[in-house]
Amino acid sequence: MSDLSATERTRHRRLREQGRTDREALFEVLRAGFVCHLGVVVDGDPMVVPTVYGFDDGHLYVHGSVAGRSLTRGTTVCVTITHVDGLVLARSVFEHGVNYRSAMIYGVPRVLEGDEKLAALRCLTEHVAPGQWDYARRPNRKELAATTILAVPLAEASVKVREGHPEDADDPHDVWAGILPLTRSWQAPVTDPHAAAHPVPPHILARTTPH
Amino acid sequence: MSDLSATERTRHRRLREQGRTDREALFEVLRAGFVCHLGVVVDGDPMVVPTVYGFDDGHLYVHGSVAGRSLTRGTTVCVTITHVDGLVLARSVFEHGVNYRSAMIYGVPRVLEGDEKLAALRCLTEHVAPGQWDYARRPNRKELAATTILAVPLAEASVKVREGHPEDADDPHDVWAGILPLTRSWQAPVTDPHAAAHPVPPHILARTTPH
């Protein structure tokens, strides 16, 4: 697999040591979440909306929604995915920070139609809610028409990772310093009262079982 | 307190029922997190970067970093804060979704200087890491000069909240449906090996203690 292309805007001018250029680092960040922030330009101003995504080797598939409909054909979007792993509590306020993993993807999205759209929606659904494409009712023609899926090429991206302890161990202000980790976890599924007749299916239970 | 102004772009054209217009809803979303996604337009394209924030009654204070330096004076930014609370697992793929709380704030930021900058940095620090402004070493002149803090007026904002069960109880595809909650939690602090001589201070311990 090739490295991600480094353009002027993804060259990590700041905090160079936090930048990663290999594609595997990008996929690690993509695998670890399912909500991204989609940035588009609307009437000259930025608009940032949270939405769900899925991906394959070559593309990020983003549920379009408002931002998708605001897009003019051929314009660039910026999709950012961020995982917050904890606070970096340093000796100095200046060295305080966040441990995080983040990917920023730039590209000109294509609005998918037909079989491509269905395949991308399946990919997205299986990323967000594995097992549900086969378990739930698949979209009919009308529902598919009401869904916007954007495909953004995974060609120009920047990955940044900050981990570990604060970097001001030599600060003369000699106090406690360290990390306050922040974790996310799935809780037990809550059954819709209208679905009480059905047991929770194994593919849902599996997500909340440690493995 | 007045309602948030509803401009064309914050009028909730889509999913109207998810929109909230009262200021308290905005502050609830702001209180629940400390990382936002800052959207700016750079050379005509969108750029979305994660960064930390704090706030008071009138302004959001955003740590500027790359995006801050890319800003042209007088241009609008969009700051989005999103909390993902779980997956909505419906009977139909179409009705699948995410339970979330989100705020989108539009405004022309002001780059703060002098006493205003110091006060905003204190506000931001105390929001992200309560107690640290008094415990850690405060920024010296050089560190303050190397920090960019943007103040975005809390005047034009849109808050959206999606909670509860899927809305397709009448779908003929009669299977299990419900919610898979996702929670975030602070873990026990990890002491920097270079700070092992110092006990974890009470204000840090307090964050990970249930209360």
Side-chain angles (χ1 to χ4, degrees), chain A residues 37 45 48 80 82 91 93 96 132 135 137 171 173 176 179 181 183 185 187 190-192 198, chain B residues 9 37 48 80 82 91 93 96 132 135 137 171 173-174 176-177 179 181 183 185 187 190-191:
Chain A
H37 281 80
D45 289 334
V48 179
T80 301
T82 306
R91 292 138 190 99
V93 166
H96 274 60
Q132 285 295 92
Y135 184 78
R137 180 178 62 71
D171 197 282
H173 188 69
W176 182 87
I179 297 166
T183 56
S185 54
Q187 304 300 313
V190 181
T191 297
D192 181 342
H198 301 280
Chain B
R9 58 190 165 198
H37 281 81
V48 179
T80 301
T82 306
R91 291 138 191 98
V93 165
H96 274 60
Q132 285 295 91
Y135 184 78
R137 179 177 62 71
D171 197 281
H173 189 70
D174 187 27
W176 181 87
I179 297 165
T183 57
S185 53
Q187 304 300 312
V190 181
T191 298

mmCIF file of all heavy atoms in Angstrom, chain A residues 37 45 48 80 82 91 93 96 132 135 137 171 173 176 179 181 183 185 187 190-192 198, chain B residues 9 37 48 80 82 91 93 96 132 135 137 171 173-174 176-177 179 181 183 185 187 190-191:
data_model
loop_
_atom_site.group_PDB
_atom_site.id
_atom_site.type_symbol
_atom_site.label_atom_id
_atom_site.label_comp_id
_atom_site.label_asym_id
_atom_site.label_seq_id
_atom_site.Cartn_x
_atom_site.Cartn_y
_atom_site.Cartn_z
ATOM 1 N N HIS A 37 -16.936 14.214 11.235
ATOM 2 C CA HIS A 37 -17.409 15.581 11.037
ATOM 3 C C HIS A 37 -17.106 15.974 9.596
ATOM 4 O O HIS A 37 -15.943 16.020 9.194
ATOM 5 C CB HIS A 37 -16.777 16.534 12.048
ATOM 6 C CG HIS A 37 -17.439 16.443 13.393
ATOM 7 N ND1 HIS A 37 -17.156 15.435 14.289
ATOM 8 C CD2 HIS A 37 -18.418 17.200 13.966
ATOM 9 C CE1 HIS A 37 -17.920 15.593 15.364
ATOM 10 N NE2 HIS A 37 -18.693 16.651 15.204
ATOM 11 N N ASP A 45 -19.157 30.129 3.378
ATOM 12 C CA ASP A 45 -18.879 29.872 4.792
ATOM 13 C C ASP A 45 -18.743 28.378 5.063
ATOM 14 O O ASP A 45 -19.351 27.560 4.382
ATOM 15 C CB ASP A 45 -20.004 30.449 5.668
ATOM 16 C CG ASP A 45 -19.982 31.969 5.707
ATOM 17 O OD1 ASP A 45 -18.888 32.546 5.512
ATOM 18 O OD2 ASP A 45 -21.047 32.567 5.926
ATOM 19 N N VAL A 48 -20.018 22.448 9.337
ATOM 20 C CA VAL A 48 -19.471 21.193 9.848
ATOM 21 C C VAL A 48 -20.608 20.397 10.477
ATOM 22 O O VAL A 48 -21.212 20.835 11.450
ATOM 23 C CB VAL A 48 -18.373 21.468 10.910
ATOM 24 C CG1 VAL A 48 -17.824 20.159 11.459
ATOM 25 C CG2 VAL A 48 -17.252 22.314 10.313
ATOM 26 N N THR A 80 -13.307 14.847 9.007
ATOM 27 C CA THR A 80 -12.405 14.637 10.136
ATOM 28 C C THR A 80 -13.013 13.659 11.129
ATOM 29 O O THR A 80 -14.187 13.769 11.484
ATOM 30 C CB THR A 80 -12.076 15.990 10.805
ATOM 31 O OG1 THR A 80 -11.473 16.841 9.829
ATOM 32 C CG2 THR A 80 -11.123 15.805 11.979
ATOM 33 N N THR A 82 -12.196 11.948 14.881
ATOM 34 C CA THR A 82 -11.361 12.179 16.056
ATOM 35 C C THR A 82 -11.759 11.253 17.200
ATOM 36 O O THR A 82 -12.941 11.138 17.518
ATOM 37 C CB THR A 82 -11.508 13.638 16.539
ATOM 38 O OG1 THR A 82 -11.235 14.511 15.446
ATOM 39 C CG2 THR A 82 -10.552 13.939 17.686
ATOM 40 N N ARG A 91 2.907 19.855 33.936
ATOM 41 C CA ARG A 91 3.295 20.752 35.027
ATOM 42 C C ARG A 91 2.936 22.191 34.703
ATOM 43 O O ARG A 91 2.590 22.976 35.576
ATOM 44 C CB ARG A 91 4.805 20.638 35.282
ATOM 45 C CG ARG A 91 5.187 19.266 35.863
ATOM 46 C CD ARG A 91 6.457 18.727 35.237
ATOM 47 N NE ARG A 91 6.683 17.331 35.627
ATOM 48 C CZ ARG A 91 6.360 16.296 34.830
ATOM 49 N NH1 ARG A 91 5.808 16.490 33.640
ATOM 50 N NH2 ARG A 91 6.590 15.060 35.237
ATOM 51 N N VAL A 93 0.550 24.865 32.357
ATOM 52 C CA VAL A 93 -0.698 24.961 31.604
ATOM 53 C C VAL A 93 -0.403 24.845 30.101
ATOM 54 O O VAL A 93 -1.123 24.182 29.359
ATOM 55 C CB VAL A 93 -1.411 26.304 31.907
ATOM 56 C CG1 VAL A 93 -2.511 26.582 30.890
ATOM 57 C CG2 VAL A 93 -1.983 26.285 33.330
ATOM 58 N N HIS A 96 -0.336 21.395 28.656
ATOM 59 C CA HIS A 96 -1.549 20.582 28.753
ATOM 60 C C HIS A 96 -2.054 20.241 27.347
ATOM 61 O O HIS A 96 -1.850 21.005 26.407
ATOM 62 C CB HIS A 96 -2.647 21.339 29.501
ATOM 63 C CG HIS A 96 -2.565 21.177 30.983
ATOM 64 N ND1 HIS A 96 -1.463 21.559 31.712
ATOM 65 C CD2 HIS A 96 -3.448 20.655 31.883
ATOM 66 C CE1 HIS A 96 -1.664 21.290 32.991
ATOM 67 N NE2 HIS A 96 -2.865 20.739 33.131
ATOM 68 N N GLN A 132 -26.413 -6.000 10.884
ATOM 69 C CA GLN A 132 -27.755 -5.463 10.688
ATOM 70 C C GLN A 132 -28.210 -5.480 9.224
ATOM 71 O O GLN A 132 -29.418 -5.456 8.958
ATOM 72 C CB GLN A 132 -27.849 -4.030 11.235
ATOM 73 C CG GLN A 132 -27.904 -3.949 12.763
ATOM 74 C CD GLN A 132 -29.171 -4.572 13.352
ATOM 75 O OE1 GLN A 132 -29.184 -5.759 13.701
ATOM 76 N NE2 GLN A 132 -30.230 -3.799 13.457
ATOM 77 N N TYR A 135 -29.946 -8.656 9.066
ATOM 78 C CA TYR A 135 -30.991 -8.853 10.068
ATOM 79 C C TYR A 135 -32.172 -7.904 9.869
ATOM 80 O O TYR A 135 -33.335 -8.315 9.997
ATOM 81 C CB TYR A 135 -30.392 -8.646 11.462
ATOM 82 C CG TYR A 135 -31.357 -8.910 12.600
ATOM 83 C CD1 TYR A 135 -31.656 -10.216 12.981
ATOM 84 C CD2 TYR A 135 -31.969 -7.856 13.282
ATOM 85 C CE1 TYR A 135 -32.541 -10.470 14.021
ATOM 86 C CE2 TYR A 135 -32.852 -8.096 14.323
ATOM 87 C CZ TYR A 135 -33.138 -9.410 14.686
ATOM 88 O OH TYR A 135 -34.012 -9.651 15.710
ATOM 89 N N ARG A 137 -34.592 -4.954 7.783
ATOM 90 C CA ARG A 137 -35.159 -4.890 6.434
ATOM 91 C C ARG A 137 -34.339 -3.927 5.589
ATOM 92 O O ARG A 137 -34.111 -2.786 5.966
ATOM 93 C CB ARG A 137 -36.614 -4.417 6.495
ATOM 94 C CG ARG A 137 -37.262 -4.318 5.105
ATOM 95 C CD ARG A 137 -38.707 -3.905 5.149
ATOM 96 N NE ARG A 137 -38.927 -2.587 5.732
ATOM 97 C CZ ARG A 137 -38.600 -1.433 5.147
ATOM 98 N NH1 ARG A 137 -37.978 -1.409 3.974
ATOM 99 N NH2 ARG A 137 -38.864 -0.296 5.765
ATOM 100 N N ASP A 171 10.267 20.876 33.771
ATOM 101 C CA ASP A 171 9.738 22.175 34.207
ATOM 102 C C ASP A 171 10.056 22.395 35.680
ATOM 103 O O ASP A 171 9.903 21.470 36.493
ATOM 104 C CB ASP A 171 8.216 22.225 33.986
ATOM 105 C CG ASP A 171 7.684 23.643 34.019
ATOM 106 O OD1 ASP A 171 7.521 24.192 35.132
ATOM 107 O OD2 ASP A 171 7.451 24.206 32.939
ATOM 108 N N HIS A 173 8.415 23.886 37.862
ATOM 109 C CA HIS A 173 7.211 23.761 38.686
ATOM 110 C C HIS A 173 6.967 22.266 38.923
ATOM 111 O O HIS A 173 6.296 21.591 38.144
ATOM 112 C CB HIS A 173 6.032 24.406 37.957
ATOM 113 C CG HIS A 173 4.787 24.515 38.788
ATOM 114 N ND1 HIS A 173 4.692 25.372 39.867
ATOM 115 C CD2 HIS A 173 3.582 23.908 38.687
ATOM 116 C CE1 HIS A 173 3.481 25.273 40.400
ATOM 117 N NE2 HIS A 173 2.786 24.387 39.696
ATOM 118 N N TRP A 176 2.552 17.063 40.608
ATOM 119 C CA TRP A 176 2.050 15.862 39.956
ATOM 120 C C TRP A 176 1.742 16.158 38.491
ATOM 121 O O TRP A 176 1.243 17.238 38.147
ATOM 122 C CB TRP A 176 0.783 15.350 40.649
ATOM 123 C CG TRP A 176 0.288 14.068 40.010
ATOM 124 C CD1 TRP A 176 0.684 12.809 40.319
ATOM 125 C CD2 TRP A 176 -0.665 13.947 38.954
ATOM 126 N NE1 TRP A 176 0.043 11.898 39.506
ATOM 127 C CE2 TRP A 176 -0.791 12.567 38.653
ATOM 128 C CE3 TRP A 176 -1.416 14.863 38.206
ATOM 129 C CZ2 TRP A 176 -1.643 12.078 37.652
ATOM 130 C CZ3 TRP A 176 -2.256 14.396 37.197
ATOM 131 C CH2 TRP A 176 -2.363 13.005 36.944
ATOM 132 N N ILE A 179 -1.614 11.430 33.046
ATOM 133 C CA ILE A 179 -2.684 11.297 32.058
ATOM 134 C C ILE A 179 -3.980 10.939 32.765
ATOM 135 O O ILE A 179 -3.979 10.156 33.715
ATOM 136 C CB ILE A 179 -2.340 10.170 31.061
ATOM 137 C CG1 ILE A 179 -1.071 10.501 30.279
ATOM 138 C CG2 ILE A 179 -3.502 9.920 30.103
ATOM 139 C CD1 ILE A 179 -0.512 9.296 29.562
ATOM 140 N N PRO A 181 -7.071 9.075 31.521
ATOM 141 C CA PRO A 181 -7.588 8.376 30.339
ATOM 142 C C PRO A 181 -9.117 8.502 30.238
ATOM 143 O O PRO A 181 -9.813 8.531 31.252
ATOM 144 C CB PRO A 181 -7.192 6.913 30.568
ATOM 145 C CG PRO A 181 -6.194 6.919 31.687
ATOM 146 C CD PRO A 181 -6.532 8.119 32.511
ATOM 147 N N THR A 183 -12.319 6.650 28.194
ATOM 148 C CA THR A 183 -12.641 5.493 27.358
ATOM 149 C C THR A 183 -14.115 5.523 26.963
ATOM 150 O O THR A 183 -14.941 6.161 27.613
ATOM 151 C CB THR A 183 -12.361 4.169 28.103
ATOM 152 O OG1 THR A 183 -13.100 4.175 29.321
ATOM 153 C CG2 THR A 183 -10.883 4.006 28.406
ATOM 154 N N SER A 185 -17.392 2.953 25.922
ATOM 155 C CA SER A 185 -17.789 1.547 25.927
ATOM 156 C C SER A 185 -19.277 1.373 25.630
ATOM 157 O O SER A 185 -20.102 2.209 25.997
ATOM 158 C CB SER A 185 -17.425 0.901 27.263
ATOM 159 O OG SER A 185 -17.959 1.637 28.329
ATOM 160 N N GLN A 187 -22.814 -0.223 26.172
ATOM 161 C CA GLN A 187 -23.553 -0.746 27.313
ATOM 162 C C GLN A 187 -24.537 -1.822 26.823
ATOM 163 O O GLN A 187 -24.700 -2.018 25.620
ATOM 164 C CB GLN A 187 -24.307 0.390 28.011
ATOM 165 C CG GLN A 187 -23.402 1.532 28.444
ATOM 166 C CD GLN A 187 -22.321 1.090 29.426
ATOM 167 O OE1 GLN A 187 -22.600 0.388 30.384
ATOM 168 N NE2 GLN A 187 -21.080 1.473 29.160
ATOM 169 N N VAL A 190 -30.752 -1.938 24.982
ATOM 170 C CA VAL A 190 -32.051 -1.631 25.587
ATOM 171 C C VAL A 190 -33.120 -1.947 24.542
ATOM 172 O O VAL A 190 -33.141 -1.358 23.463
ATOM 173 C CB VAL A 190 -32.135 -0.141 25.982
ATOM 174 C CG1 VAL A 190 -33.484 0.166 26.632
ATOM 175 C CG2 VAL A 190 -30.982 0.242 26.904
ATOM 176 N N THR A 191 -33.974 -2.897 24.864
ATOM 177 C CA THR A 191 -34.968 -3.339 23.896
ATOM 178 C C THR A 191 -36.118 -2.334 23.775
ATOM 179 O O THR A 191 -36.653 -1.873 24.784
ATOM 180 C CB THR A 191 -35.513 -4.722 24.308
ATOM 181 O OG1 THR A 191 -34.438 -5.668 24.278
ATOM 182 C CG2 THR A 191 -36.629 -5.190 23.365
ATOM 183 N N ASP A 192 -36.466 -1.995 22.538
ATOM 184 C CA ASP A 192 -37.644 -1.185 22.252
ATOM 185 C C ASP A 192 -38.867 -1.918 22.827
ATOM 186 O O ASP A 192 -39.067 -3.103 22.527
ATOM 187 C CB ASP A 192 -37.758 -1.058 20.717
ATOM 188 C CG ASP A 192 -38.945 -0.215 20.278
ATOM 189 O OD1 ASP A 192 -39.876 0.015 21.069
ATOM 190 O OD2 ASP A 192 -38.927 0.205 19.103
ATOM 191 N N HIS A 198 -39.136 -10.208 20.961
ATOM 192 C CA HIS A 198 -37.955 -10.761 20.289
ATOM 193 C C HIS A 198 -36.729 -10.713 21.196
ATOM 194 O O HIS A 198 -36.471 -9.690 21.819
ATOM 195 C CB HIS A 198 -37.652 -9.955 19.020
ATOM 196 C CG HIS A 198 -38.791 -9.952 18.038
ATOM 197 N ND1 HIS A 198 -39.044 -10.986 17.175
ATOM 198 C CD2 HIS A 198 -39.767 -9.032 17.822
ATOM 199 C CE1 HIS A 198 -40.108 -10.716 16.442
ATOM 200 N NE2 HIS A 198 -40.579 -9.531 16.817
ATOM 201 N N ARG B 9 -29.434 29.196 7.933
ATOM 202 C CA ARG B 9 -28.673 27.952 8.040
ATOM 203 C C ARG B 9 -28.862 27.232 9.362
ATOM 204 O O ARG B 9 -28.442 26.097 9.514
ATOM 205 C CB ARG B 9 -27.189 28.206 7.805
ATOM 206 C CG ARG B 9 -26.582 29.209 8.755
ATOM 207 C CD ARG B 9 -25.186 29.586 8.286
ATOM 208 N NE ARG B 9 -24.731 30.795 8.982
ATOM 209 C CZ ARG B 9 -23.739 31.553 8.558
ATOM 210 N NH1 ARG B 9 -23.103 31.266 7.450
ATOM 211 N NH2 ARG B 9 -23.371 32.626 9.222
ATOM 212 N N HIS B 37 -15.092 20.464 16.840
ATOM 213 C CA HIS B 37 -14.530 20.459 15.492
ATOM 214 C C HIS B 37 -14.726 21.848 14.899
ATOM 215 O O HIS B 37 -15.853 22.302 14.731
ATOM 216 C CB HIS B 37 -15.167 19.361 14.638
ATOM 217 C CG HIS B 37 -14.597 18.011 14.934
ATOM 218 N ND1 HIS B 37 -14.998 17.255 16.017
ATOM 219 C CD2 HIS B 37 -13.602 17.298 14.319
ATOM 220 C CE1 HIS B 37 -14.288 16.123 16.042
ATOM 221 N NE2 HIS B 37 -13.448 16.122 15.025
ATOM 222 N N VAL B 48 -11.423 21.106 8.640
ATOM 223 C CA VAL B 48 -12.079 20.785 9.913
ATOM 224 C C VAL B 48 -11.033 20.211 10.859
ATOM 225 O O VAL B 48 -10.464 19.148 10.580
ATOM 226 C CB VAL B 48 -13.227 19.772 9.715
ATOM 227 C CG1 VAL B 48 -13.880 19.429 11.053
ATOM 228 C CG2 VAL B 48 -14.258 20.308 8.724
ATOM 229 N N THR B 80 -18.524 22.796 15.697
ATOM 230 C CA THR B 80 -19.508 21.758 15.991
ATOM 231 C C THR B 80 -19.023 20.862 17.124
ATOM 232 O O THR B 80 -17.867 20.436 17.139
ATOM 233 C CB THR B 80 -19.802 20.940 14.716
ATOM 234 O OG1 THR B 80 -20.303 21.837 13.718
ATOM 235 C CG2 THR B 80 -20.833 19.855 14.977
ATOM 236 N N THR B 82 -20.171 17.421 19.240
ATOM 237 C CA THR B 82 -21.064 16.271 19.109
ATOM 238 C C THR B 82 -20.797 15.240 20.192
ATOM 239 O O THR B 82 -19.652 14.875 20.428
ATOM 240 C CB THR B 82 -20.862 15.600 17.725
ATOM 241 O OG1 THR B 82 -21.012 16.585 16.702
ATOM 242 C CG2 THR B 82 -21.867 14.474 17.515
ATOM 243 N N ARG B 91 -35.980 -1.645 12.836
ATOM 244 C CA ARG B 91 -36.388 -2.821 12.061
ATOM 245 C C ARG B 91 -35.918 -2.701 10.618
ATOM 246 O O ARG B 91 -35.588 -3.682 9.976
ATOM 247 C CB ARG B 91 -37.912 -2.964 12.108
ATOM 248 C CG ARG B 91 -38.400 -3.346 13.502
ATOM 249 C CD ARG B 91 -39.643 -2.584 13.891
ATOM 250 N NE ARG B 91 -39.975 -2.756 15.305
ATOM 251 C CZ ARG B 91 -39.648 -1.854 16.246
ATOM 252 N NH1 ARG B 91 -39.007 -0.738 15.935
ATOM 253 N NH2 ARG B 91 -39.977 -2.072 17.499
ATOM 254 N N VAL B 93 -33.243 -0.869 7.823
ATOM 255 C CA VAL B 93 -31.944 -0.199 7.707
ATOM 256 C C VAL B 93 -32.151 1.313 7.612
ATOM 257 O O VAL B 93 -31.420 2.100 8.212
ATOM 258 C CB VAL B 93 -31.177 -0.727 6.464
ATOM 259 C CG1 VAL B 93 -30.008 0.180 6.108
ATOM 260 C CG2 VAL B 93 -30.698 -2.156 6.710
ATOM 261 N N HIS B 96 -32.319 3.195 10.846
ATOM 262 C CA HIS B 96 -31.160 3.147 11.741
ATOM 263 C C HIS B 96 -30.599 4.553 11.927
ATOM 264 O O HIS B 96 -30.717 5.405 11.046
ATOM 265 C CB HIS B 96 -30.070 2.249 11.143
ATOM 266 C CG HIS B 96 -30.255 0.803 11.488
ATOM 267 N ND1 HIS B 96 -31.372 0.094 11.135
ATOM 268 C CD2 HIS B 96 -29.457 -0.059 12.175
ATOM 269 C CE1 HIS B 96 -31.254 -1.156 11.573
ATOM 270 N NE2 HIS B 96 -30.107 -1.271 12.213
ATOM 271 N N GLN B 132 -6.740 22.889 37.409
ATOM 272 C CA GLN B 132 -5.362 22.941 36.942
ATOM 273 C C GLN B 132 -4.805 24.364 36.817
ATOM 274 O O GLN B 132 -3.591 24.556 36.850
ATOM 275 C CB GLN B 132 -5.213 22.210 35.599
ATOM 276 C CG GLN B 132 -5.246 20.689 35.705
ATOM 277 C CD GLN B 132 -4.066 20.113 36.485
ATOM 278 O OE1 GLN B 132 -4.131 19.928 37.705
ATOM 279 N NE2 GLN B 132 -2.971 19.841 35.797
ATOM 280 N N TYR B 135 -3.235 24.833 40.029
ATOM 281 C CA TYR B 135 -2.267 23.800 40.417
ATOM 282 C C TYR B 135 -1.018 23.814 39.528
ATOM 283 O O TYR B 135 0.104 23.671 40.010
ATOM 284 C CB TYR B 135 -2.940 22.431 40.365
ATOM 285 C CG TYR B 135 -2.063 21.292 40.832
ATOM 286 C CD1 TYR B 135 -1.858 21.068 42.191
ATOM 287 C CD2 TYR B 135 -1.452 20.444 39.917
ATOM 288 C CE1 TYR B 135 -1.048 20.029 42.630
ATOM 289 C CE2 TYR B 135 -0.641 19.398 40.336
ATOM 290 C CZ TYR B 135 -0.435 19.195 41.690
ATOM 291 O OH TYR B 135 0.350 18.171 42.114
ATOM 292 N N ARG B 137 1.653 25.357 36.485
ATOM 293 C CA ARG B 137 2.319 26.645 36.294
ATOM 294 C C ARG B 137 1.611 27.419 35.173
ATOM 295 O O ARG B 137 1.407 26.912 34.083
ATOM 296 C CB ARG B 137 3.801 26.445 35.934
ATOM 297 C CG ARG B 137 4.537 27.772 35.692
ATOM 298 C CD ARG B 137 6.012 27.593 35.401
ATOM 299 N NE ARG B 137 6.268 26.815 34.196
ATOM 300 C CZ ARG B 137 6.052 27.234 32.948
ATOM 301 N NH1 ARG B 137 5.537 28.437 32.725
ATOM 302 N NH2 ARG B 137 6.337 26.448 31.936
ATOM 303 N N ASP B 171 -43.222 -1.218 11.323
ATOM 304 C CA ASP B 171 -42.645 -1.847 10.127
ATOM 305 C C ASP B 171 -43.047 -3.315 10.072
ATOM 306 O O ASP B 171 -43.000 -4.014 11.097
ATOM 307 C CB ASP B 171 -41.118 -1.719 10.144
ATOM 308 C CG ASP B 171 -40.510 -1.973 8.778
ATOM 309 O OD1 ASP B 171 -40.380 -3.155 8.386
ATOM 310 O OD2 ASP B 171 -40.176 -0.991 8.086
ATOM 311 N N HIS B 173 -41.477 -5.759 8.973
ATOM 312 C CA HIS B 173 -40.332 -6.626 9.277
ATOM 313 C C HIS B 173 -40.184 -6.689 10.793
ATOM 314 O O HIS B 173 -39.505 -5.871 11.408
ATOM 315 C CB HIS B 173 -39.077 -6.048 8.616
ATOM 316 C CG HIS B 173 -37.873 -6.951 8.675
ATOM 317 N ND1 HIS B 173 -37.785 -8.121 7.957
ATOM 318 C CD2 HIS B 173 -36.703 -6.849 9.352
ATOM 319 C CE1 HIS B 173 -36.606 -8.700 8.186
ATOM 320 N NE2 HIS B 173 -35.942 -7.946 9.033
ATOM 321 N N ASP B 174 -40.838 -7.671 11.405
ATOM 322 C CA ASP B 174 -41.007 -7.709 12.857
ATOM 323 C C ASP B 174 -39.851 -8.437 13.540
ATOM 324 O O ASP B 174 -39.909 -9.657 13.753
ATOM 325 C CB ASP B 174 -42.361 -8.389 13.153
ATOM 326 C CG ASP B 174 -42.718 -8.335 14.625
ATOM 327 O OD1 ASP B 174 -42.261 -7.409 15.320
ATOM 328 O OD2 ASP B 174 -43.457 -9.236 15.070
ATOM 329 N N TRP B 176 -36.189 -7.903 16.443
ATOM 330 C CA TRP B 176 -35.723 -7.131 17.591
ATOM 331 C C TRP B 176 -35.307 -5.733 17.143
ATOM 332 O O TRP B 176 -34.749 -5.543 16.055
ATOM 333 C CB TRP B 176 -34.541 -7.814 18.271
ATOM 334 C CG TRP B 176 -34.062 -7.048 19.487
ATOM 335 C CD1 TRP B 176 -34.537 -7.170 20.748
ATOM 336 C CD2 TRP B 176 -33.044 -6.036 19.530
ATOM 337 N NE1 TRP B 176 -33.883 -6.289 21.586
ATOM 338 C CE2 TRP B 176 -32.968 -5.581 20.864
ATOM 339 C CE3 TRP B 176 -32.212 -5.458 18.565
ATOM 340 C CZ2 TRP B 176 -32.076 -4.583 21.275
ATOM 341 C CZ3 TRP B 176 -31.322 -4.462 18.968
ATOM 342 C CH2 TRP B 176 -31.265 -4.032 20.315
ATOM 343 N N ALA B 177 -35.565 -4.767 17.989
ATOM 344 C CA ALA B 177 -35.136 -3.389 17.739
ATOM 345 C C ALA B 177 -34.866 -2.738 19.079
ATOM 346 O O ALA B 177 -35.399 -3.165 20.115
ATOM 347 C CB ALA B 177 -36.209 -2.620 16.976
ATOM 348 N N ILE B 179 -31.900 0.079 21.344
ATOM 349 C CA ILE B 179 -30.778 1.017 21.418
ATOM 350 C C ILE B 179 -29.556 0.292 21.948
ATOM 351 O O ILE B 179 -29.659 -0.548 22.842
ATOM 352 C CB ILE B 179 -31.112 2.169 22.390
ATOM 353 C CG1 ILE B 179 -32.297 2.983 21.884
ATOM 354 C CG2 ILE B 179 -29.912 3.071 22.612
ATOM 355 C CD1 ILE B 179 -32.886 3.881 22.957
ATOM 356 N N PRO B 181 -26.514 1.602 23.850
ATOM 357 C CA PRO B 181 -25.940 2.839 24.424
ATOM 358 C C PRO B 181 -24.412 2.832 24.379
ATOM 359 O O PRO B 181 -23.778 1.778 24.516
ATOM 360 C CB PRO B 181 -26.431 2.821 25.878
ATOM 361 C CG PRO B 181 -27.506 1.773 25.949
ATOM 362 C CD PRO B 181 -27.152 0.780 24.887
ATOM 363 N N THR B 183 -21.206 4.930 26.165
ATOM 364 C CA THR B 183 -20.885 5.882 27.231
ATOM 365 C C THR B 183 -19.391 6.185 27.253
ATOM 366 O O THR B 183 -18.588 5.410 26.744
ATOM 367 C CB THR B 183 -21.284 5.333 28.619
ATOM 368 O OG1 THR B 183 -20.627 4.084 28.814
ATOM 369 C CG2 THR B 183 -22.791 5.133 28.712
ATOM 370 N N SER B 185 -16.206 7.375 29.871
ATOM 371 C CA SER B 185 -15.887 7.526 31.288
ATOM 372 C C SER B 185 -14.398 7.751 31.502
ATOM 373 O O SER B 185 -13.554 7.235 30.776
ATOM 374 C CB SER B 185 -16.372 6.306 32.082
ATOM 375 O OG SER B 185 -15.872 5.126 31.519
ATOM 376 N N GLN B 187 -10.988 7.237 33.379
ATOM 377 C CA GLN B 187 -10.353 6.128 34.093
ATOM 378 C C GLN B 187 -9.408 6.692 35.150
ATOM 379 O O GLN B 187 -9.187 7.904 35.209
ATOM 380 C CB GLN B 187 -9.593 5.242 33.111
ATOM 381 C CG GLN B 187 -10.448 4.709 31.970
ATOM 382 C CD GLN B 187 -11.617 3.869 32.464
ATOM 383 O OE1 GLN B 187 -11.450 2.991 33.284
ATOM 384 N NE2 GLN B 187 -12.829 4.164 31.971
ATOM 385 N N VAL B 190 -3.100 8.172 35.432
ATOM 386 C CA VAL B 190 -1.821 7.461 35.286
ATOM 387 C C VAL B 190 -0.718 8.478 35.528
ATOM 388 O O VAL B 190 -0.589 9.468 34.798
ATOM 389 C CB VAL B 190 -1.686 6.874 33.869
ATOM 390 C CG1 VAL B 190 -0.357 6.125 33.730
ATOM 391 C CG2 VAL B 190 -2.869 5.964 33.538
ATOM 392 N N THR B 191 0.070 8.230 36.565
ATOM 393 C CA THR B 191 1.118 9.191 36.943
ATOM 394 C C THR B 191 2.315 9.112 35.997
ATOM 395 O O THR B 191 2.804 8.028 35.693
ATOM 396 C CB THR B 191 1.561 8.934 38.395
ATOM 397 O OG1 THR B 191 0.437 9.143 39.272
ATOM 398 C CG2 THR B 191 2.700 9.847 38.812
#
